[in-house]
């Protein structure tokens, strides 16, 4: 009985020593920090690695995460300048830079950041109308970050980024916006169709113009070539005529050959022969009568015919004297 009492006491002392050593050694993971209070007052902040504290005197508080944290707040109703209520969902990126200030300067820095984000968001969006709110996310983000970073600096926090994840206007506004978007699309489609038709008509007109110009150029060239051909033909004929020095008999003969062609037209029922042609024809007939040998028609007539002719001439002379 006497031997067991010292053994039990030794075991208790050993267990107490082991427990004391365990309480004196604190291991802090990387990117973590723990605040230590000694006798109720802040003493130090434990850094990552092996740290020693005084058991039963120093109080070690829970770990504080020093990594950048991402917090998504639930959608908050915000009234715009044109009195429309929109639901805005935000995402906050922040980091604890001073564990002591984050633990002692505010009771719950996460709740404080959330409430500060909501109030700042209402102040910023309250000065904008709905259309500007929907199209000015970068402006809202920069203003939120500036205000939050300035306000949370004394809490040992650094706000790295603030993002608006969603902006939900009322259902009636959504329907009106959808109608407006459809009207805008229909308008752009109509404008594009009109522009296409206009461009098509312009191209068609340009093509017709170029075709007409080319046709006119072709006709002009053909007319010029034809006129040049006729001019050369006339010149050749004129030169040939002057080289051969034709007499009027040949010209009259050529005109006689051309008369049947003049009479071949459907409307040539009546046509006039110039007086110069009569003279030419007399020359042709004379030429033919001189060159041909005497025919029976041109031989001397019987004497009876000569006597009758002489008698008729005498009667004519007597009648003239009376």
């Amino acid at each position: 009985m006497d031997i067991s009492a010292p053994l039990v006491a030794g075991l208790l002392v050993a267990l107490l020593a082991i427990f004391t050593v365990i309480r004196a050694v604190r291991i802090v993971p990387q990117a973590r920090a723990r605040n230590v209070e000694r006798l109720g007052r802040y003493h130090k902040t434990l850094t990552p690695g092996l740290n020693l504290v005084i058991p039963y005197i120093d109080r070690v508080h829970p770990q504080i995460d020093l990594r950048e944290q991402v917090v998504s707040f639930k959608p908050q109703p915000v009234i715009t300048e044109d009195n429309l209520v929109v639901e805005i969902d935000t995402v906050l990126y922040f980091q604890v830079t001073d564990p002591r200030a984050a633990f002692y300067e505010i009771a719950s820095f996460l709740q404080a950041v959330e409430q500060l984000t909501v109030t700042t968001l209402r102040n910023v969006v309250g000065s904008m109308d709905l259309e500007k709110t929907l199209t000015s996310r970068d402006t809202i983000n920069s203003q939120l970050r500036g205000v939050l970073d300035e306000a949370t600096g004394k809490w040992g926090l650094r706000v790295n980024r603030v993002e608006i994840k969603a902006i939900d206007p009322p259902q009636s506004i959504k329907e009106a916006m959808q109608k407006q978007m459809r009207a805008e699309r229909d308008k752009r489609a109509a404008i594009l169709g009109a522009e296409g038709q206009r461009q098509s008509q312009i191209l068609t007109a340009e093509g017709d113009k170029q075709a007409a110009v080319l046709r006119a150029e072709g006709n002009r060239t053909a007319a010029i070539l034809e006129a040049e051909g006729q001019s050369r033909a006339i010149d050749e004929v004129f030169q040939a005529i002057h080289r051969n020095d034709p007499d009027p008999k040949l010209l009259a003969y050529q005109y006689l050959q051309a008369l049947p062609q003049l009479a071949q037209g459907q409307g040539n029922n009546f046509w006039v022969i110039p007086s110069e042609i009569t003279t030419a024809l007399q020359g042709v007939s004379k030429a033919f009568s001189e060159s041909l040998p005497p025919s029976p028609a041109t031989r001397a007539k019987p004497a009876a015919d000569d006597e009758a002719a002489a008698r008729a001439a005498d009667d004519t002379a007597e009648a003239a004297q009376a």
Side-chain angles (χ1 to χ4, degrees):
M1 194 70 180
D2 295 335
I3 298 175
S4 62
L7 182 60
V8 172
L11 291 174
L12 292 175
V13 172
L15 291 174
L16 181 61
I18 294 172
F19 182 73
T20 301
V21 172
I22 293 174
R23 293 291 301 272
V25 177
R26 297 298 174 91
I27 298 176
V28 180
Q30 184 65 35
R32 307 290 194 281
R34 302 186 71 173
N35 293 317
V36 177
E37 291 181 355
R38 179 169 293 177
L39 300 177
R41 296 184 62 183
Y42 171 77
H43 177 62
K44 65 178 181 179
T45 299
L46 300 181
T47 57
L50 181 63
N51 297 275
L52 297 176
V53 297
I54 300 176
Y56 312 112
I57 297 177
D58 293 342
R59 180 185 176 187
V60 181
H61 289 282
Q63 296 180 2
I64 297 177
D65 197 344
L66 301 181
R67 296 172 297 178
E68 186 175 4
Q69 302 180 42
V70 181
V71 181
S72 179
F73 302 125
K74 63 181 181 179
Q76 299 292 330
V78 181
I79 302 176
T80 60
E81 187 180 13
D82 48 356
N83 297 325
L84 293 175
V85 179
V86 295
E87 298 286 338
I88 300 180
D89 190 3
T90 56
V91 179
L92 183 66
Y93 299 82
F94 70 94
Q95 186 177 10
V96 178
T97 57
D98 188 356
R100 177 182 178 279
F103 188 79
Y104 291 105
E105 293 296 334
I106 192 166
S108 176
F109 62 84
L110 187 59
Q111 183 180 2
V113 169
E114 180 181 3
Q115 296 301 320
L116 182 61
T117 301
V118 172
T119 55
T120 306
L121 186 63
R122 288 176 178 174
N123 291 333
V124 173
V125 177
S127 60
M128 302 179 180
D129 56 9
L130 178 60
E131 184 176 358
K132 188 175 181 180
T133 301
L134 295 175
T135 58
S136 303
R137 294 195 177 191
D138 293 338
T139 303
I140 298 174
N141 293 338
S142 61
Q143 292 184 7
L144 282 175
R145 182 184 178 280
V147 174
L148 291 175
D149 194 23
E150 181 180 358
T152 58
K154 62 180 180 179
W155 299 340
L157 306 177
R158 183 177 69 243
V159 178
N160 296 327
R161 194 171 183 179
V162 181
E163 292 290 341
I164 295 179
K165 188 165 60 176
I167 300 177
D168 296 328
Q171 186 63 31
S172 59
I173 301 300
K174 289 182 180 180
E175 294 176 357
M177 292 173 63
Q178 291 176 357
K179 292 180 181 179
Q180 183 179 2
M181 291 175 62
R182 285 195 297 268
E184 288 292 335
R185 286 194 296 267
D186 294 340
K187 176 182 176 182
R188 288 196 296 268
I191 292 175
L192 291 176
E195 287 291 335
Q197 185 178 3
R198 173 176 171 269
Q199 193 69 20
S200 176
Q201 293 177 354
I202 291 175
L203 293 177
T204 303
E206 289 290 337
D208 295 340
K209 176 184 175 182
Q210 293 179 3
V213 170
L214 292 177
R215 284 194 298 269
E217 289 289 338
N219 295 333
R220 184 173 69 89
T221 304
I224 292 174
L225 294 176
E226 184 178 0
E228 289 180 354
Q230 293 179 357
S231 175
R232 291 181 181 179
I234 294 173
D235 185 67
E236 290 293 334
V237 173
F238 183 78
Q239 294 295 334
I241 292 173
H242 280 274
R243 284 196 303 268
N244 297 323
D245 193 16
D247 55 359
K249 300 176 182 179
L250 177 61
L251 297 179
Y253 178 71
Q254 292 292 333
Y255 187 82
L256 287 175
Q257 289 182 340
L259 288 178
Q261 298 179 1
L262 296 176
Q264 288 178 0
Q266 296 180 358
N268 295 336
N269 297 327
F270 175 78
W271 44 285
V272 179
I273 299 176
S275 60
E276 292 81 357
I277 302 304
T278 305
T279 305
L281 292 177
Q282 292 176 357
V284 171
S285 60
K286 183 179 180 181
F288 277 103
S289 62
E290 291 178 353
S291 60
L292 293 176
S295 62
T298 58
R299 293 173 182 173
K301 295 181 181 180
D305 294 336
D306 295 338
E307 294 177 357
R311 191 181 299 110
D314 293 338
D315 292 338
T316 302
E318 291 178 357
Q321 292 176 2

